[in-house]
Amino acid sequence: KDAYQRGNILRTHVMRPTWHLVAAEDIRWMLKLSSQRIIAACNSFAKGNGVDIPESTYTKANDLFQKVLEGNNHLTKQELEDEIVKAGIMADSPKLGYLFTRAEQEGIICSGADRKEKATYALLEERAPKVKELHKEEALALLARKYNTIISLVLIAIGAMGIYMALNFEAR
C-alpha cells in the first residue's frame, strides 16, 4: 500500500485494457510496447458499440488532464469527469472512460495516491521517473525476463504450498 501511495507501483491499463499494477520504472517502456495495440482495440470496441470519438476530443481531454493535474494535483475519476463536462469537451456519459484509457496509453495520466480510500489520477510525468528509453527488442527481452521470474516465483510458492498441505495431511 505504501509503495502504491508513493508512486513506486502504478495502476494503469498496460498490456491489455484491464487494470495492471506496474513498477513505476517499467511503465514507460511497457506503454511503448503495448499502447498502439490497446488504442486500436479500444477504438474497435468503441466503434462496434456505436461510439465514435474524434481525435480532437482526445487531444482536448489530454490538454485538460495536463492542466488540472499539474503540480501533483491528484484528482478522482469523478472530479476529472466533472472538469471534462465543465470544459464542454464531452457531456457526462459512459463514453468518458475512453478518454481516460487513451490518456493512459499516451502516457499522460496514471494512478495517483489514494485519497480517503478513493483512487485518483495523476500526471505520469510527475509520478514515474524518467528512465533510459529502450528499443523494442530490449523492451521485449526485459518483459520476457521479468515475466519468467514472476512465473518461476509463483510456481515455487505453489509447490511449497503443496508440500506444506501434503505434510499437514500426512500428520493427521
Side-chain angles (χ1 to χ4, degrees), residues 89-103:
I89 295 171
M90 184 182 284
D92 190 17
S93 77
K95 296 179 194 177
L96 291 170
Y98 292 104
L99 302 180
F100 289 91
T101 302
R102 173 66 78 89

Side-chain angles (χ1 to χ4, degrees), residues 2-5 24 26 64 66-67 77 82 84 130 132 140 149 154 157 159 162 164 168:
D2 289 341
Y4 181 82
Q5 287 295 96
D26 293 338
L64 178 75
Q66 288 177 325
K67 178 183 169 192
K77 184 176 183 186
D82 292 347
I84 290 167
K130 293 275 191 198
K132 176 184 162 253
L140 287 170
T149 300
V154 168
Y164 173 79
N168 280 332

Side-chain angles (χ1 to χ4, degrees), residues 33-45:
L33 274 181
S34 64
S35 64
Q36 293 308 308
R37 186 178 51 80
I38 293 171
I39 288 170
C42 288
N43 288 345
S44 176
F45 182 80

Side-chain angles (χ1 to χ4, degrees), residues 113-161:
D114 285 353
R115 187 172 6 112
K116 297 181 184 177
E117 302 299 315
K118 284 195 172 222
T120 67
Y121 286 91
L123 291 176
L124 181 67
E125 192 70 26
E126 295 176 348
R127 198 91 165 128
K130 293 275 191 198
V131 293
K132 176 184 162 253
E133 191 168 318
L134 301 178
H135 293 289
K136 184 177 181 177
E137 295 75 22
E138 292 174 295
L140 287 170
L142 183 55
L143 178 64
R145 274 196 311 276
K146 287 183 178 245
Y147 179 79
N148 285 333
T149 300
I150 291 168
I151 293 300
S152 296
L153 292 172
V154 168
L155 291 175
I156 290 168
I158 290 170
M161 188 183 304

